[in-house]
């Protein structure tokens, strides 16, 4: 039963990623013109265009090129950047650790923090703490990421001069250099992700706390701590995992903005530069990478909720 | 003996949607003594649960204490600290909720939850608590008492869960038990066992009990004393016999008058003339269900080979327990859930199964009235619009003619004509249900399908609706299909009764014949399970029904053979569990589906004693 | 008091009651009105045009050289640019949101009411787009269609439409299972009649709340794109690109960086606050129902 559901979820995930890849690839085909036009720009002659098309195999039918591209994705070979001709896989490979560190650090700080804040707020609904959390998160949610970043830079880099405003990493950075470079970007991201995650955690737990089973526990004389941890949390588990997955979308948006603000040498910056120079292969590769990570976490969240569902774990 | 619980001049308030606080309990005083069961009765909104919960020093979110005192064993509990309240709850005062399915935590085993009380209150070591649980489960006659604790709530039937809730309540040996409508959520045939178990628990423990319910017949079985509440105030209190048989207060009398006598063959149900004329509506071999149809069968099949005839101008009651397919039958007739096998015939003409393919004239002749008055109306539309639409749609009435007719319809259901200008939320539940009927009447149909039209209403209001239905049925030449889980209501009103069990017709025939032998075994169980309004009925019932107590109380749908065989005392092994029962056709179109011969069914032990 | 159960009806109340908003609520409304006014009458109230270079000093401080809020990196009047920026940002986001609702509500209602095949097909297509993180989808669309105003509005409108579809479909499905719709179907009403008379009136209030939320998302998404240099292009002033263009001024602590970002913030916060208040009110109604 459970295994069945999990397999079904995994298959669905693979199909989703596959459909996304098709959308990413064929989206470009809608446009008049092709990669050759993009490379050569407006002044190109027919001959040079023809030559490049030959070289890139653009005369083959679209679905053949798609399958080619898809196969490349699976093998980790995603072609060359149009402008520089450098291997895209290599470019991403160099930058991926930086981006993953950024996202990972943020998650490592924001998730436990958001869960505890949301949980405490839900334990004492209507209290001063709860109202402060509700109000504070609403404010943070309303601000664009670059406002948070700007304020942090003004405070820490310019007023206090603790950290650099821009994160250039030397070839062989020391730990201190990395830490200083990471500080503001991570802080910005934590702020941006913390607010929605706290709010959603709070309402997920409140939802569970309003159930008759919790009222029963109160009337049995169970201490409050135990009610929250033993009665409410196991039931709030699946919704909370879901909350974390949902907030990954905020994290990705945040990463994009933050890498640009701090000139951070990560994959998101690479992608934004790609969009600016209309370097389609780079954009496609980066987009697929982010989407795959995103969907991967979504599937993980679903699998966790399936596994943690007592009705499924202990069938009749 | 001094009172264990004393409530003095209790005042409480609840918050309305508009945000203002309104009194919901006004100056209630009462006393409960050890070894005594005190029942709180009244209709919804009377403040029964709120008062009962105050004995645990608990007010639901949105309610608050505003005055008075609750003394438990001499201690004013409302003034206790949170920690002191916690120590009292569960250990000295225990609560048994309305729906055990909702009150148990789905994430933990039953044993873990039942022994949680002793653990958090430190009343006994874990091992002892486990043994005690098994012991209590055995005394409650739960199946497999040693192993049931290892199950999860969703693995146990509703009736068993409700008893397990009582086991949980007993785990700390409380002095006061608070029962909050503990059998409202379960079917009548399982209720008897649960009531009996509760009664044993109270007697054996010597605790005091508060028993909240709106069901007077249940009160008669359980209570020593009764308090009648209305609008947060005590109307009358006294001994059970006095309240039930010589009510003094007007309101108590109204309540008593609204109670239907338990179904009896004699005198109930207007008798029909001959049913020789062809039925206005007939179902023939209906199979229906939900979910996409695969290979000629739907995902879940609910109705199996249902044959029912509805004679013109008569009232046909459809009865069965929750989930047996009563509503599905109404939906099949109206075409909302198309049957995939069998035919619906209107005056001999076969109707297309799907409402989309039926023509207006046929649609007009069959009208549907649904259970929940609150969701039966578009909240954005006036009563005049709700009633006006069928007039316009079927009869082409417009303008002044339509408005006049709306007024007439409202008068037909005994409402003033100016109600046309109201929105649904400006009507009470009973009034909504009347407008609901008027909407069906507007089409001037031949058949009105009423699906549990009184079950969402209070007893008194529901009784008034039944009265209205009776008078309408007398005046008009309309057939009523009256669906209900309450046999007493159906029996007092219907000319014929159809008994459904697990999607199959167990028995059907004139009311008088259904209520007297020969009985289908399920009908007999049903009839004998309806509590009577007299003290001592429960004991009598148990004395005669001892043999049947080990029966499973889970309905199995879609088995081979007779669906009732898992619970049937007359089951013939090797036959009932493998072969579909034949239908015996007796006179007056009385049909019984059973493998037993009519003679055997005739002789089986009688219903009343 | 003498009990007369069932005979009493709720009194008929018809008068309009002003919502008890509280101080914060009125401040929010005032903020929104202020920006609305700025957007509508930009040419009449702005002291300069949005592209006029009025001083040689970049990042002139507040009040300097007679410029109310100082100048930006090119020496343009910041106050004027903020006013014109309100016009661009708020209008583009509004058009995108309206587009999203037209698209989303129509397809959502059709899918929710028709059910079956139609529903499955539309829902699967939308699911595919919803699976993208918003920013990824936005970047992809921009990289394909470029950054013209029309392309931006369509991109944001399309992305938001997938979310509006979800809600509209859920609302329609929800209403369709209500008893009053069952009654209408049993009466033989057409789907169109049901849509117009039963579904739409009941979906209106939740949809209008969602409109507020979607509008803030549109503003934030548009600003994020502009900030990345992939949104509104010069010579138009829009709040997001103003932040980006003046980013170098951060070292001199210029108002030119902070003010446009704050402007976005005041609008989204005001809308969010009003929406939140509205939701809280709806929820309170529900919880009170439970208590009753
Ligand atoms: N739309 C649906 N889809 C799937 N299953 C359904 C649907 N509606 C009802 N069922 C199932 O069909 C069975 C019969 O339901 P039905 O509503 O006909 O019972 P009922 O006799 O009216 O019960 P009650 O007394 O509780 O109203 C139940 O098991 C129910 O869960
Ligand atoms: S067929 Fe058998 S099991 Fe079914 S009711 Fe008759 S005797 Fe009982
Ligand atoms: Mg039903």
């Amino acid at each position: 039963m459970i295994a069945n559901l999990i397999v079904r979820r995994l298959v669905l995930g693979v199909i989703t990623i596959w459909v996304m890849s098709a959308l990413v690839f064929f989206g470009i085909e809608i446009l008049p013109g092709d990669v050759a036009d993009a490379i050569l720009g407006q002044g190109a002659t027919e001959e040079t265009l023809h030559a490049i098309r030959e070289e890139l195999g653009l005369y083959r039918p679209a679905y053949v090129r798609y399958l080619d591209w898809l196969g490349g994705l699976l093998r980790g070979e995603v072609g060359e950047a149009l402008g520089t001709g450098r291997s895209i896989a290599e470019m991403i490979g160099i930058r991926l650790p930086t981006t993953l560190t950024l996202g990972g650090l943020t998650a490592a700080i924001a998730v436990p923090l958001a869960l505890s804040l949301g949980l405490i707020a839900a334990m004492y609904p209507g209290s001063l703490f709860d109202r402060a959390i509700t109000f504070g998160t609403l404010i943070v949610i309303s601000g664009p990421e670059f406002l948070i970043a700007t304020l942090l830079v003004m405070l820490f880099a310019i007023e206090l001069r603790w950290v650099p405003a821009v994160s250039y990493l030397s070839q062989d950075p020391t730990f201190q250099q990395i830490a200083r470079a990471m500080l503001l970007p991570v802080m910005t991201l934590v702020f941006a992700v913390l607010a929605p995650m706290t709010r959603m955690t709070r309402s997920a737990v409140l939802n569970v706390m309003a159930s008759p089973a919790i009222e029963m526990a109160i009337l049995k004389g169970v201490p409050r701590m135990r009610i929250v941890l033993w009665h409410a949390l196991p039931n709030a588990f699946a919704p909370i995992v879901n909350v974390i997955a949902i907030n990954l979308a905020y994290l990705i948006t945040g990463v994009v903005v933050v890498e640009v603000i701090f000139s951070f040498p990560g994959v998101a910056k690479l992608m934004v530069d790609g969009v600016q120079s209309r370097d389609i292969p780079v954009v496609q590769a980066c987009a697929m990478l982010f989407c795959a990570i995103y969907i991967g976490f979504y599937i993980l969240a679903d699998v966790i909720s399936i596994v943690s569902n007592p009705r499924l774990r202990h069938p009749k | 003996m001094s009172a264990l619980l004393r409530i003095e001049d209790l005042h409480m308030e609840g918050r309305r949607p508009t945000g203002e606080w309104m009194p919901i309990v006004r100056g209630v005083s009462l006393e409960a003594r050890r070894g005594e069961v005190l029942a709180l009765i009244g209709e919804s909104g009377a403040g029964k649960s709120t008062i009962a919960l105050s004995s645990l020093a608990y007010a639901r979110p949105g309610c608050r204490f505003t005055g008075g005192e609750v003394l438990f064993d001499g201690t004013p509990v409302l003034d206790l600290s949170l920690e002191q309240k916690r120590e009292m709850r569960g250990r000295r005062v225990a609560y048994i909720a309305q729906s055990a399915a909702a009150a148990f935590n789905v994430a933990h085993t039953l044993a873990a939850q039942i022994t949680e009380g002793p653990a958090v209150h430190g009343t006994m070591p874990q091992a002892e608590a486990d043994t005690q649980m098994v012991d209590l489960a055995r005394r409650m006659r739960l199946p497999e008492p040693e192993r049931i604790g290892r199950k999860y709530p969703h693995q146990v039937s509703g009736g068993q869960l409700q008893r397990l809730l009582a086991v949980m309540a007993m785990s700390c040996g409380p002095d006061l038990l608070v029962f909050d409508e503990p059998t409202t959520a379960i079917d009548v045939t399982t209720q008897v066992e649960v009531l009996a178990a509760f009664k044993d628990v109270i007697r054996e423990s010597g605790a005091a009990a508060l028993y909240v319910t709106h069901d007077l017949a249940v009160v008669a079985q359980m209570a020593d004393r009764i308090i009648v509440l209305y609008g947060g105030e005590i109307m009358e209190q006294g001994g059970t016999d006095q309240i039930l048989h010589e009510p003094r207060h007007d309101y108590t009398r109204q309540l008593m008058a609204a109670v239907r006598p338990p179904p009896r063959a004699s005198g109930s149900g207007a008798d029909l003339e001959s049913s020789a004329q062809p039925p206005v509506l007939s179902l023939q071999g209906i199979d229906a269900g939900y979910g996409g149809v695969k290979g000629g069968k739907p995902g879940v099949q609910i109705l199996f080979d249902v044959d029912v005839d509805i004679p013109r101008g008569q009232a046909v009651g459809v009865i069965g327990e929750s989930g047996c397919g009563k509503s599905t039958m109404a939906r099949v007739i109206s075409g909302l859930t198309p049957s995939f096998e069998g035919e619906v015939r209107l005056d001999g003409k076969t109707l297309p199964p799907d409402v989309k393919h039926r023509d207006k004239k046929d649609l007009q002749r069959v009208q549907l009235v649904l259970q929940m008055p609150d969701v039966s109306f578009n909240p954005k539309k006036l009563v005049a619009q709700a009633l006006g639409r069928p007039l316009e749609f079927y009869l082409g009435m417009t303008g002044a003619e339509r408005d006049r007719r709306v007024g007439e319809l409202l008068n037909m259901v005994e409402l003033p004509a100016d109600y046309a200008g109201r929105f649904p939320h400006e009507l009470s539940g009973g009034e909504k249900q009347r407008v609901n009927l008027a909407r069906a009447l507007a089409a001037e149909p031949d058949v009105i399908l009423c699906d549990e039209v009184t079950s969402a209403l209070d007893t008194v209001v529901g009784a008034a609706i039944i009265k209205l239905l009776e008078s309408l049925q007398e005046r008009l030449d309309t057939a009523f299909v009256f669906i209900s889980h309450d046999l007493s209501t159906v029996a007092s009103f219907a000319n014929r009764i159809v008994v459904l069990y697990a999607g199959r017709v167990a028995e059907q025939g004139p009311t008088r014949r259904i209520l007297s032998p020969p009985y289908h075994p399920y009908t007999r169980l049903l009839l004998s399970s309806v509590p009577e309004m007299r003290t001592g009925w429960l004991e009598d019932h148990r004395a005669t029904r001892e043999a049947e107590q080990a029966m499973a109380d889970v309905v199995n749908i879609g088995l081979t053979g007779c669906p009732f065989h898992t619970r049937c005392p007359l089951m013939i092994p090797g036959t009932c569990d493998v072969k579909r029962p034949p239908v015996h056709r007796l006179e007056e179109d009385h049909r019984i589906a059973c493998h037993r011969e009519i003679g055997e069914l005739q002789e089986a032990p009688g219903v009343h004693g | 008091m003498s009990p007369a159960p069932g005979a009493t009806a709720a009194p008929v109340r018809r008068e309009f009651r002003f919502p008890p908003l509280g101080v914060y609520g009125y401040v929010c409304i005032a903020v929104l009105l202020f920006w609305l006014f700025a957007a509508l009458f930009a040419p009449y109230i702005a002291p300069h045009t949005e592209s006029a270079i009025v001083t040689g000093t970049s990042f002139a401080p507040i009040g300097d050289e007679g410029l109310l809020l100082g100048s930006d990196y090119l020496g343009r009047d910041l106050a004027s640019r903020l006013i014109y920026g309100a016009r661009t940002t708020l209008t583009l986001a509004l058009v995108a949101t309206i587009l999203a609702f037209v698209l989303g509500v129509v397809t959502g209602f059709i899918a929710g009411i028709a059910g079956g095949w139609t529903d499955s097909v539309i829902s699967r297509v939308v699911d595919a787009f919803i699976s993208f993180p918003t920013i990824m989808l936005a970047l992809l669309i921009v990289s394909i269609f470029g950054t013209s105003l029309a392309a931006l509005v369509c991109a944001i409108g399309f992305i938001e439409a997938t979310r509006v579809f979800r809600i509209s479909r859920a609302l329609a499905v929800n209403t369709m299972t209500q008893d009053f719709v069952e009654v209408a179907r049993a009466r033989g009403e057409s789907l169109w009649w049901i849509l117009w008379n039963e579904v739409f009136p009941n979906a209106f209030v939740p949809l209008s709340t969602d409109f507020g939320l979607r509008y803030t998302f549109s503003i934030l998404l548009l600003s994020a794109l502009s900030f990345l240099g992939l949104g509104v292009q010069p010579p138009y002033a829009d709040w997001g690109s103003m932040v980006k263009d003046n980013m170098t001024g951060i070292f001199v602590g210029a108002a030119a960086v902070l003010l446009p970002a704050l402007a976005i913030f005041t609008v989204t916060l005001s809308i969010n606050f009003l929406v939140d208040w509205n939701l809280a009110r709806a929820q309170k109604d529900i919880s009170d129902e439970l208590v009753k």
Side-chain angles (χ1 to χ4, degrees), chain A residues 16 19-20 23-24 27-28 31 135 138-139 141-144 146-147 150-151 153-154 158 165 199 252-253 256-257 260-261 271-272 275-276 278 280 283 287 290-291 294-295, chain C residues 24 128-133 135-136 139-140 142-146 217 220 223-224 227-230 240 243 247 250-251 253-254 257-258 261-262 264-265 268-269 272-273 276:
Chain A
T16 309
V19 171
M20 288 166 107
L23 287 174
V24 167
I28 310 290
L31 279 187
F135 199 72
L138 187 65
I139 290 179
I141 283 181
S142 306
F146 51 79
L147 176 62
T150 312
L151 289 174
V153 168
M154 285 185 160
I158 294 162
R199 274 177 93 84
I252 291 180
T253 310
V256 172
V257 173
V260 171
I261 297 180
M271 180 171 175
V272 172
V275 178
Q276 250 149 5
R278 307 197 82 168
I280 303 289
V283 175
F290 279 114
C291 291
Y294 180 64
I295 296 295
Chain C
Y24 292 122
F129 285 105
I130 281 192
S131 306
F132 286 96
I135 191 80
M136 286 297 131
L139 290 179
L140 281 167
V142 167
S143 73
I144 296 171
F145 294 101
F217 284 136
L220 288 174
S223 307
F227 177 79
L228 297 174
L230 305 170
V243 179
M247 210 57 198
I250 201 168
F251 295 104
V257 197
L258 213 48
L262 281 175
I264 298 170
F265 175 63
T268 50
L269 180 64
N272 276 338
F273 184 91
D276 212 51

Side-chain angles (χ1 to χ4, degrees), chain B residues 321-328 371 451-452 455 483:
Chain B
E321 46 204 71
S322 181
C324 71
K326 305 183 297 286
S327 301
T328 307
Q371 176 170 3
D451 188 357
E452 306 263 13
S455 41
I483 294 173

Side-chain angles (χ1 to χ4, degrees), chain B residues 520-521 562 564-565 568 570-572 576 581 594-596:
Chain B
H520 184 280
C562 170
F564 191 53
H565 80 259
C568 181
L570 298 181
M571 200 267 256
I572 313 167
C576 294
C594 185
H595 283 296
R596 293 278 181 180

Side-chain angles (χ1 to χ4, degrees), chain C residues 33-105:
Chain C
L33 286 178
F34 170 79
W35 286 121
L36 180 71
F37 182 77
L40 282 178
F41 301 105
Y44 307 101
I45 50 177
H48 305 277
T49 64
E50 57 190 313
S51 50
I53 296 176
V54 294
T55 165
T57 330
S58 13
F59 301 123
I62 287 178
D64 225 33
E65 309 190 27
L67 301 178
L68 185 61
L69 297 175
S71 69
D72 73 354
Y73 74 115
L74 284 179
R76 293 174 294 197
D77 176 34
L78 189 64
S80 306
R81 283 184 63 78
L82 272 177
I83 291 171
Y84 276 98
R87 191 170 233 204
T88 322
T89 303
L90 298 183
T91 316
L92 288 184
L94 185 67
V95 176
T97 313
I98 292 174
L99 181 70
F101 267 76
V102 171
L103 251 177
V105 171

